[in-house]
Amino acid sequence: RSRADRVKTLYEHFCRKAARLGVQRNPFEGPSDFSNRAAEFLPNESKRIRDISNTYIALRYAPEPAGAALDSFARKVRAFAVRR
């Protein structure tokens, strides 16, 4: 699997986790807009949500994601498990 696919897969996993918490990403919604809405809905997790989304954007639009940055992104997504 390519690194770009892994970035997308990890972000989709993050979105599914957010959906289980009540914030469903709309099909037309970009990562920045989704991040803002999710952070508003989950204010205690707003910093982590924005960090994950900003990292996704940086990795998604990079010519080739760096391995260390991708591994860090994976850890952030795995760790995103909030309790409401």
Side-chain angles (χ1 to χ4, degrees):
R1 182 182 335 178
S2 76
R3 288 182 185 209
D5 288 344
R6 184 165 180 228
V7 169
K8 182 179 178 194
T9 299
L10 287 165
Y11 183 71
E12 289 169 350
H13 183 64
F14 163 69
C15 290
R16 285 191 302 275
K17 284 182 165 190
R20 286 193 296 269
L21 297 170
V23 188
Q24 180 87 26
R25 182 175 169 260
N26 297 309
F28 57 83
E29 196 169 32
S32 183
D33 290 334
F34 176 65
S35 170
N36 290 335
R37 193 167 57 80
E40 187 175 305
F41 188 80
L42 300 165
N44 292 338
E45 296 301 322
S46 62
K47 183 176 179 178
R48 286 186 350 161
I49 290 168
R50 286 193 171 97
D51 184 37
I52 289 169
S53 295
N54 289 337
T55 303
Y56 167 71
I57 292 166
L59 289 170
R60 174 72 176 88
Y61 297 103
E64 182 63 28
L70 186 53
D71 291 342
S72 174
F73 179 60
R75 283 191 300 276
K76 290 175 187 181
V77 170
R78 278 193 301 272
F80 182 74
V82 297
R83 288 163 227 95
R84 287 189 50 148

